[in-house]
Amino acid sequence: MEHEQEQAWENGMVIGGRYRITALIGTGGMGAVYAADDLRLPGKRWAVKVSRILRANGDNLLEEARLLMKLNHPRLPAIADYFPLDRSHPEHSILIMELIEGCTLQKLTVNREATLEFQDVVHIAVQLCETLIYLHRQHPPVIHRDLKPANVMVLPGGDIKLIDLGIARQYKEGQSEDTLWLGTPGFAAPEQSGGRQSDPRADQYGLGALLYHMLSGGDYYTNGSPIRPERLTGMPASFAAVMEKLLAPDPRHRYKCAADALKALMRYHTGAKPAVSLKERQHSYGSVREPTTITVSSLGAGAGATFLTLTIGRLLAQKGIRCTAIEHPMLPPEWVSLLDAGGEAMMSEEVDDPIRRKYHVWREGTVTWCGLHPAAGAMQYHEDWLPLLSRKFPAEVVLYDLSSYWHTAQCESLLSEADICLFAADPWPSRWPAPALKGYADLIRSRTETDPGKKTYWIANKDLSFRQRKEWLSMIPGSRLAAVPQLPPEEWIDWLWQGRWATDCKPWRDLINERLRPLWSII
């Protein structure tokens, strides 16, 4: 009966009057997770976790929801809603979460869908450790307690998301032992089996067990057994000391904190992105979606469209979103020098001639940069270059930098067809030519008339406090999406001369990321 009921939910059932089930993603001991369409926001999809409420875990499910609601980290799923199912199903609760596209580590290691080399494993471990640092620095600390392959989603490009905080708990000062003895055998720390309260060091054990599982090709670590480097894929002998410290049966013999564990891991991390190869366009629920196309233009020369494009691309990559960013061929080449053309260079055979001579293409994590080659010189523009690039490097988001050339004939089709058109405007009114303001207003009108679903916004760039700021913000037609602050000029110039971008500075990155939150919600 239980199986039949869950099948009924999969076949089009609408939950909470809003979420229509479209596919079963996975099942577990206390419920199931489904993909669902949002009936109020067409095109938006969610992960719906349906959990059976038992006397032993009813409060725990509510605690999971409360934990997720207050957490905000790029490697943790965002939560949108939590509620009981309905009066006819009082034994079930619903958690509405971000739908994560990728596959689990369990699928990679057990089903052998990809080969995990030592550097791949270290890269995953570093990301998990950074996430644990964030959780453990909450007040009080949040302990995940269930680090296992099924709870780690690997995104295309190798970045991860840590999912299912179903048995996470907050450390309770003075409590002698855990109320519930939960965890997955083979990954749970010994203290989680009862007798002691698990503190943040329990997650170090889970991390070590997960490392062992990945490096051994799917085997499980036996508590207290020695680490044999020769049995683990490509592992240096010296790394055994790190593993043994993480897996110490007594938590007092592990690292003092996750930050110390991260320092130990970073000594073995080359900084290279993993070679994990996932099938292109394959999502956790098996569907394929068209990318979201975004153009970024400047209302006047120097308003900052290029800055916004590169910054948005970097921030999307940090969120694990696959992005292809393209410098429009009408522009003077800037990207290669601004971004120092780092990352993994794409093989020339992957790009057709003459694009190969016009563009330098390289990859950093989940973002593919298509920058104009500084040595290409003047070439006749071909309108099929941009579609060819976007097809060659499929992604979830395609970014086009049009800068102040957006009003040219070569940009008309992009502006007409893009899902989102963004315009940068800075506080210097002398840079806003009247024809540009009129063209912008006309574009808003034509895009709205053609398709009300297409969005056109302007962003107040280089925002700062000055007497006429309100007047400035009221002068630009259309809807303002966000305000991005003016970076300290001297520090910003120093940063550029060091070959670094704004997102490499954590305070700047966090501030801009927060200011662009309305854009992330639209994407």
Side-chain angles (χ1 to χ4, degrees):
M1 285 296 293
E2 182 179 301
H3 177 74
E4 293 176 358
Q5 186 183 49
E6 292 188 357
Q7 286 298 312
W9 291 346
E10 184 180 355
N11 296 329
M13 177 178 176
V14 176
I15 293 179
R18 176 172 180 175
Y19 309 101
R20 182 168 55 206
I21 299 296
T22 60
L24 176 66
I25 296 175
T27 58
M30 292 188 292
V33 180
Y34 300 88
D37 289 331
D38 192 325
L39 300 181
R40 297 184 192 173
L41 299 172
K44 180 66 178 176
R45 308 196 75 191
W46 300 98
V48 177
K49 182 177 180 181
V50 182
S51 300
R52 287 182 289 278
I53 300 175
L54 305 176
R55 290 180 182 177
N57 77 318
D59 292 340
N60 193 64
L61 292 173
L62 180 59
E63 184 171 356
E64 176 190 8
R66 287 173 175 166
L67 284 178
L68 284 170
M69 285 176 183
K70 74 173 187 177
L71 298 177
N72 181 20
H73 191 275
R75 296 194 184 100
L76 295 173
I79 182 172
D81 208 352
Y82 174 78
F83 52 87
L85 182 54
D86 54 43
R87 291 182 180 179
S88 61
H89 300 91
E91 73 282 8
H92 289 88
S93 70
I94 304 299
L95 193 65
I96 308 297
M97 299 179 293
E98 170 190 3
L99 184 62
I100 300 169
E101 301 172 348
C103 65
T104 64
L105 262 181
Q106 183 178 37
K107 189 173 183 181
L108 290 179
T109 54
V110 176
N111 297 349
R112 314 291 184 179
E113 295 227 352
T115 300
L116 291 175
E117 303 295 341
F118 177 71
Q119 270 306 310
D120 302 338
V121 172
V122 172
H123 181 73
I124 291 170
V126 164
Q127 294 180 79
L128 287 171
C129 213
E130 290 172 343
T131 311
L132 293 178
I133 291 172
Y134 171 79
L135 291 173
H136 297 168
R137 286 179 176 172
Q138 300 301 304
H139 300 286
V142 175
I143 312 164
H144 191 280
R145 298 198 304 166
D146 202 17
L147 289 176
K148 61 182 180 180
N151 285 345
V152 179
M153 293 291 293
V154 182
L155 310 179
D159 289 331
I160 63 100
K161 289 262 190 179
L162 180 59
I163 61 173
D164 199 352
L165 274 73
I167 67 166
R169 64 183 297 277
Q170 293 178 316
Y171 182 78
K172 296 179 174 62
E173 192 71 38
Q175 183 169 298
S176 61
E177 62 183 278
D178 291 343
T179 305
L180 297 174
W181 299 353
L182 293 173
T184 301
F187 298 97
E191 59 267 28
Q192 289 179 233
S193 62
R196 285 177 286 179
Q197 181 186 191
S198 55
D199 65 18
R201 291 172 294 184
D203 285 338
Q204 289 187 38
Y205 186 97
L207 178 62
L210 191 57
L211 278 166
Y212 185 92
H213 185 77
M214 290 188 284
L215 290 170
S216 65
D219 292 339
Y220 296 87
Y221 176 71
T222 302
N223 183 31
S225 60
I227 302 297
R228 302 185 184 277
E230 67 275 8
R231 297 183 181 179
L232 303 177
T233 304
M235 189 184 93
S238 60
F239 195 70
V242 178
M243 297 273 287
E244 288 169 351
K245 197 165 183 68
L246 290 171
L247 290 165
D250 189 334
R252 293 173 298 178
H253 298 155
R254 297 172 201 153
Y255 291 100
K256 182 179 179 182
C257 60
D260 288 348
L262 178 62
K263 290 178 184 177
L265 290 169
M266 289 301 293
R267 287 196 287 269
Y268 296 87
H269 189 224
T270 64
K273 287 289 185 177
V276 176
S277 176
L278 304 179
K279 295 178 182 178
E280 286 292 342
R281 312 290 291 163
Q282 179 180 355
H283 302 317
S284 58
Y285 49 89
S287 65
V288 176
R289 293 188 292 179
E290 289 297 316
T292 299
T293 56
I294 304 175
T295 64
V296 188
S297 308
S298 289
L299 278 180
T306 296
F307 171 83
L308 289 175
T309 306
L310 302 185
T311 302
I312 290 169
R314 283 278 178 90
L315 291 174
L316 287 175
Q318 290 175 7
K319 297 175 186 298
I321 297 174
R322 285 183 301 164
C323 172
T324 296
I326 302 173
E327 191 173 19
H328 196 280
M330 294 296 295
L331 274 57
E334 290 187 279
W335 287 18
V336 171
S337 58
L338 283 174
L339 294 180
D340 204 24
E344 172 195 352
M346 310 300 293
M347 297 297 291
S348 59
E349 293 81 21
E350 295 188 43
V351 186
D352 297 331
D353 203 47
I355 299 177
R356 183 165 59 245
R357 289 183 285 120
K358 184 68 174 176
Y359 279 93
H360 176 65
V361 181
W362 73 100
R363 181 173 291 151
E364 293 178 356
T366 59
V367 60
T368 299
W369 299 106
C370 302
L372 296 170
H373 203 297
M379 294 178 63
Q380 185 178 356
Y381 172 75
H382 292 274
E383 61 182 15
D384 61 345
W385 284 354
L386 302 184
L388 281 172
L389 281 170
S390 62
R391 287 197 300 269
K392 281 287 183 184
F393 308 105
E396 297 163 87
V397 175
V398 180
L399 275 173
Y400 296 99
D401 178 11
L402 309 186
S403 289
S404 57
Y405 290 77
W406 60 274
H407 52 77
T408 62
Q410 290 83 356
C411 297
E412 284 183 6
S413 60
L414 272 178
L415 291 170
S416 173
E417 298 169 7
D419 297 303
I420 304 171
C421 286
L422 301 178
F423 284 79
D426 60 22
W428 281 263
S430 60
R431 295 180 181 175
W432 313 339
L437 288 176
K438 182 180 184 302
Y440 172 57
D442 291 342
L443 178 68
I444 296 173
R445 185 164 49 253
S446 65
R447 280 173 54 83
T448 304
E449 291 173 354
T450 303
D451 184 350
K454 294 185 182 298
K455 308 298 184 183
T456 309
Y457 302 101
W458 72 279
I459 294 177
N461 194 35
K462 306 178 186 178
D463 183 27
L464 70 169
S465 178
F466 63 102
R467 187 177 301 173
Q468 288 80 24
R469 182 176 181 272
K470 288 185 178 180
E471 183 180 356
W472 164 45
L473 297 179
S474 66
M475 289 175 67
I476 311 297
S479 301
R480 175 167 58 92
L481 181 68
V484 174
Q486 167 74 60
L487 300 179
E490 292 182 0
E491 296 176 36
W492 177 220
I493 292 297
D494 285 341
W495 214 247
L496 287 175
W497 274 86
Q498 295 173 40
R500 307 172 80 181
W501 195 248
T503 49
D504 296 323
C505 174
K506 187 178 185 304
W508 291 350
R509 180 179 69 239
D510 292 346
L511 176 59
I512 298 172
N513 181 58
E514 179 62 29
R515 293 291 186 91
L516 289 175
R517 184 181 292 272
L519 177 61
W520 312 143
S521 66
I522 295 170
I523 295 177

